[in-house]
């Protein structure tokens, strides 16, 4: 089967604008393959170039070397088959929740009445039925994330790229959102690349966890299959014995890298 | 939101300040009210600073007699034309240069030079180019308005959140749609901030232009009065212009409130 997303030996080096000798390699020689319907989490210490990888997969960034293939075809420009959930606030503040949700439909030229109906349906599905006319600043952080989720999912992307989407939320809201995400995902099993620095979140959500080394020039150092049964409840599964075994296993491999990353940041 | 009682009180205080200024003006200039302490001749203060009652009387005469309307209409037309043209040009060129880094790098020193130049000096040149009619005044106003709007739009487009931009691109926005749905609305809050400044400058352009050479307009009236040392009429002209500049600014504020509903306002809670 053709993989949904294939990053092959991707290297990404940034050069400073003026001084071309000053370069920073964020990712080196990294290959990631995501099968259709697979939920892959990528974990690694902060500053290891996780977001860079995702931006490459989204087509927002061109790799210095290596290739990206989407369903077997080389990627050129924006990855139109992928949806992207950003870590930072990405909603357009001048559009209300409903207008934000249907923005993608509007860009595709879908009529306002049809777009509205779909948008309202999606707002209900993320639990924001009556909030369509609120502007982003009138919504809480968790609600804004839901709007973002609806905004991305309404376009029915085959691949979902998520960059620490819930990292800014409090623990309770976060677990709620994680469960909602799993529920939405299980309905039509998209391929997901989920970036996080939280190992527990990674294990609880995904089919596979990839561990990246500390930056700069980070590269994968481990690939773990998560054989926990689905459907899962992210709060309960953390108490599962198997969960803790996997966690100990991955953490053992990750610990040195986390310490390395920490030491580099302190320098 | 301030309660309506507090608002009324505020307005009353503001009116009181205005009244106090007029009273002080009146007391200091009307011959014979105060013993002369600076000028020996009691009429001299009135000669130099005008008398508020006569100034108000002149304004009354203008509006009741109908003399002013023709001049006011000319000045307003010049102002509005300069304001609209300068704003549209400023937005268009501001967006273009903000999105075209090469062009903006090439033009950067020239834009800075044009902005640093005292542009009122251009008025006589515009007279030669466009004649003594309305066009030369509009041209002067445009040069004043344009740069303020331009720099604000330029900044506004540059400061679009990269995440919002990347998100819109991922949602499938074309370049045109990015312009319409991301850059333009994002720059609008900057545009409105600049419009408040440029309303006043559009008036400056019109009046200075008229002052330097024209046959109608409020600036022309002021120039005529100055020629015969009629200080009261000069002050009356200034007051009328100020009132209209304020009215135009209020219109801009109204449009801003209508168009910028999405902006968070501080203390947006409702008392029950």
């Amino acid at each position: 089967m053709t993989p949904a997303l294939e990053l092959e030996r991707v290297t990404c080096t940034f050069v400073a604008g003026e001084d071309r000798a000053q370069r920073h390699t964020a990712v080196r020689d990294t290959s990631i393959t995501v099968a259709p319907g697979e939920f892959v989490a990528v974990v690694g210490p902060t500053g290891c170039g996780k977001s860079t990888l995702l931006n490459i997969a989204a087509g927002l960034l061109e790799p210095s070397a290596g290739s990206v293939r989407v369903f077997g075809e080389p990627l050129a420009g924006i990855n139109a088959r992928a949806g992207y959930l950003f870590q930072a606030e990405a909603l357009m503040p001048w559009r209300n929740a409903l207008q934000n949700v249907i923005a993608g439909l509007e860009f595709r030229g879908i009529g306002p009445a049809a777009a509205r109906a779909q948008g309202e349906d999606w707002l209900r599905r993320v639990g924001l039925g009556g909030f369509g006319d609120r502007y982003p600043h009138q919504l809480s952080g968790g609600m804004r994330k839901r709007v973002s989720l609806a905004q991305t999912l309404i376009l029915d992307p085959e691949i979902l790229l998520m960059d620490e989407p819930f990292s800014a939320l409090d623990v309770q809201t976060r677990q709620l959102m994680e469960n909602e995400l799993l529920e939405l995902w299980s309905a039509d099993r998209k391929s997901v690349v989920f970036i996080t620095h939280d190992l527990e979140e990674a294990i609880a959500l995904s089919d596979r966890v990839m561990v990246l080394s500390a930056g700069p020039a980070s590269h994968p150092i481990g690939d773990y299959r998560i054989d926990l049964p689905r459907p899962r409840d992210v709060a309960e599964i953390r108490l599962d014995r198997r969960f803790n075994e996997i966690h100990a296993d991955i953490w053992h491999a990750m610990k040195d890298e986390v310490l390395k990353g920490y030491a580099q940041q302190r320098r | 939101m301030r309660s309506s009682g507090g608002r009324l009180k505020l307005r009353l205080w503001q009116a009181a300040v205005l009244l106090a200024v007029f009273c002080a003006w009146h007391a200091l200039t009307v011959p014979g009210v105060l013993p002369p302490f600076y000028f020996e001749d009691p009429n001299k203060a009135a000669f130099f600073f005008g008398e508020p009652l006569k100034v108000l009387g002149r304004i009354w005469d203008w509006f009741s007699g109908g003399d002013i309307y023709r001049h006011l209409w000319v000045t307003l037309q010049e102002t509005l034309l300069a304001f609209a043209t300068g704003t549209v040009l400023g937005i268009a060129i501001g967006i273009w240069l903000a999105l075209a880094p090469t062009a903006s790098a090439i033009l950067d020193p020239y834009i800075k030079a044009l902005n640093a130049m005292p542009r009122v000096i251009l008025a006589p040149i515009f007279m030669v180019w466009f004649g003594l009619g309305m066009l030369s005044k509009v041209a002067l106003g445009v040069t004043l308005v344009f740069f303020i709007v331009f720099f604000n739009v330029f900044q506004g487009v540059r400061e679009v959140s990269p995440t919002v931009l990347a998100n819109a691109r991922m949602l499938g926005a074309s370049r045109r749609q990015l312009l319409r749905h991301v850059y333009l609305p994002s720059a609008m809050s900057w545009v409105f901030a600049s419009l408040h400044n440029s309303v006043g400058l559009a008036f400056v352009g019109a009046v200075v232009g008229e002052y330097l050479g024209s046959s109608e307009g409020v600036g022309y009236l002021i120039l005529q009065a100055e020629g015969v040392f009629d200080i009261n009429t000069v002050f009356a002209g200034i007051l009328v212009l100020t009132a209209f500049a304020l009215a135009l600014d209020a219109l801009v504020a109204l449009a801003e409130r209508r168009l910028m509903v999405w902006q968070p306002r501080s203390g947006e809670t409702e008392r029950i």
Side-chain angles (χ1 to χ4, degrees):
Chain A
M1 196 159 45
T2 4
L5 183 68
E6 207 179 357
L7 269 66
E8 207 188 319
R9 306 204 48 175
V10 162
T11 298
C12 198
T13 304
F14 296 97
V15 278
E18 274 98 58
D19 184 7
R20 293 194 74 79
Q22 246 198 18
R23 48 187 62 218
H24 165 76
T25 302
V27 223
R28 202 195 66 222
D29 248 352
T30 298
S31 300
I32 297 179
T33 308
V34 183
E38 194 180 24
F39 198 126
V40 177
V42 179
V43 289
T46 46
C48 76
K50 300 185 295 274
S51 301
T52 307
L53 271 182
L54 215 55
N55 284 338
I56 290 171
L60 290 168
L61 207 64
E62 230 179 292
S64 314
S67 66
V68 183
R69 274 191 297 280
V70 181
F71 289 100
E73 282 165 33
L75 177 65
I78 293 285
N79 187 347
R81 299 173 83 162
Y84 198 139
L85 216 59
F86 291 85
Q87 178 179 16
E89 297 290 344
L91 294 176
M92 290 169 253
W94 45 87
R95 284 171 165 247
N96 65 28
L98 181 67
Q99 289 166 337
N100 259 297
V101 170
I102 63 171
L105 298 178
E106 216 182 308
F107 295 154
R108 277 164 180 68
I110 290 171
R116 249 189 107 81
Q118 274 194 62
E120 266 159 12
D121 180 45
W122 266 104
L123 274 175
R124 269 194 298 279
R125 278 164 88 169
V126 295
L128 290 175
F131 292 91
D133 57 352
R134 302 279 185 95
Y135 285 92
H137 78 268
Q138 296 167 316
L139 298 168
S140 69
M143 288 158 115
R144 285 202 288 267
K145 278 289 171 240
R146 281 164 210 250
V147 175
S148 286
L149 196 60
Q151 185 184 51
T152 305
L153 291 179
I154 198 171
L155 297 174
D156 198 23
E158 291 156 283
I159 304 166
L160 201 52
L161 307 169
M162 308 178 89
D163 185 7
E164 305 195 22
F166 309 140
S167 60
L169 304 178
D170 62 273
V171 181
Q172 287 80 10
T173 316
R174 187 169 170 172
Q175 289 190 348
L176 225 69
M177 291 291 296
E178 285 164 1
N179 275 335
E180 273 175 47
L181 172 66
L182 281 185
E183 205 176 308
L184 287 167
W185 174 74
S186 65
D188 59 352
R189 297 259 170 164
K190 300 174 188 309
S191 305
V192 179
V193 183
F194 191 99
I195 301 263
T196 175
H197 59 253
D198 180 350
L199 184 53
E200 289 191 25
E201 185 181 41
I203 300 170
L205 292 173
S206 63
D207 297 323
R208 221 169 78 197
V209 173
M210 283 194 63
V211 181
L212 287 185
S213 73
S218 67
H219 50 96
I221 52 166
D223 192 340
Y224 300 84
R225 194 149 286 285
I226 310 299
D227 50 5
L228 296 168
R230 292 190 189 270
R232 301 175 189 164
D233 180 295
V234 289
E236 281 167 23
I237 205 148
R238 282 168 214 234
L239 311 171
D240 190 282
R241 197 173 56 81
R242 182 71 192 126
F243 179 95
N244 286 305
E245 280 172 23
I246 297 170
H247 188 277
D249 215 21
I250 302 178
W251 177 243
H252 183 72
M254 235 180 108
K255 198 165 67 185
D256 292 342
E257 294 302 325
V258 173
L259 290 175
K260 230 190 274 174
Y262 182 60
Q264 263 156 12
Q265 283 183 351
R266 293 225 322 185
R267 241 189 290 145
Chain B
M1 207 48 137
R2 207 171 258 283
S3 66
S4 61
R7 247 185 124 77
L8 186 70
K9 215 166 163 184
L10 189 69
R11 291 277 176 267
L12 280 175
W13 273 108
Q14 287 171 340
V17 169
L18 185 68
L19 197 66
V21 167
F22 269 92
C23 286
W25 184 11
H26 180 74
L28 288 169
T29 52
V30 162
V33 169
L34 287 182
F37 54 88
Y38 184 78
F39 302 109
E40 308 90 68
D41 182 347
N43 284 314
K44 250 189 180 165
F47 176 77
F48 281 116
F49 297 104
E51 286 168 73
L53 284 180
K54 285 190 183 158
V55 169
L56 292 176
R58 172 54 45 90
I59 293 175
W60 175 255
D61 287 347
W62 272 345
F63 281 95
S64 61
D67 299 349
I68 186 89
Y69 293 112
R70 185 168 64 96
H71 298 289
L72 202 53
W73 176 233
V74 168
T75 304
L76 275 179
Q77 260 180 306
E78 288 160 359
T79 303
L80 288 174
L81 274 175
F83 183 58
T85 317
T87 303
V88 169
L89 279 179
I91 291 177
I93 297 181
I95 286 181
W96 171 57
L97 282 188
L99 297 180
T102 318
S104 84
I106 293 171
L107 294 179
D108 180 64
Y110 302 105
I111 287 166
K112 284 199 181 120
L114 283 175
N115 184 45
M117 181 172 67
R119 268 158 284 136
V120 176
I121 296 300
L122 291 175
I125 299 176
F126 286 147
M127 299 279 163
V128 176
W129 289 353
F130 302 117
L132 291 178
M134 221 181 246
L135 205 56
S136 54
K137 286 83 188 169
V138 174
L140 183 61
V142 167
T143 61
L144 296 175
V145 170
F146 169 78
F147 283 95
I148 296 185
V149 177
F150 167 79
F151 282 114
N152 275 284
V153 170
F154 191 74
Q155 195 67 18
V157 170
R158 287 265 164 120
E159 301 214 345
V160 168
S161 149
T163 317
V164 171
L165 197 62
N167 190 33
R169 289 177 66 197
M170 285 309 292
L171 293 173
S174 63
R175 233 184 116 70
R176 229 195 141 96
Q177 284 165 331
L178 283 182
L179 194 67
R180 158 88 180 72
H181 293 286
V182 180
Y183 288 116
L184 210 56
S186 172
M188 269 335 259
S189 47
W190 292 75
V191 170
F192 273 111
S194 68
L195 290 190
H196 287 288
N197 287 326
S198 46
V199 164
L201 280 179
F203 264 105
V204 169
V207 174
V208 168
E210 287 165 1
Y211 196 81
L212 289 177
S214 64
S215 55
E216 48 191 354
V218 181
Y220 166 78
L221 279 186
I222 292 178
L223 182 66
Q224 293 279 301
E226 224 172 61
V228 294
F229 294 105
D230 182 1
I231 287 294
N232 288 325
T233 306
V234 174
F235 272 112
I238 294 172
L239 283 182
V240 169
L241 282 178
T242 308
F244 274 87
L246 274 179
L248 215 55
D249 189 68
L251 277 181
V252 170
L254 192 72
E256 185 175 12
R257 267 207 299 283
R258 279 282 170 81
L259 288 173
M260 308 298 277
V261 277
W262 54 272
Q263 272 195 335
R265 294 211 179 83
S266 56
E268 204 178 5
T269 56
E270 195 179 15
R271 263 218 184 286
I272 302 169

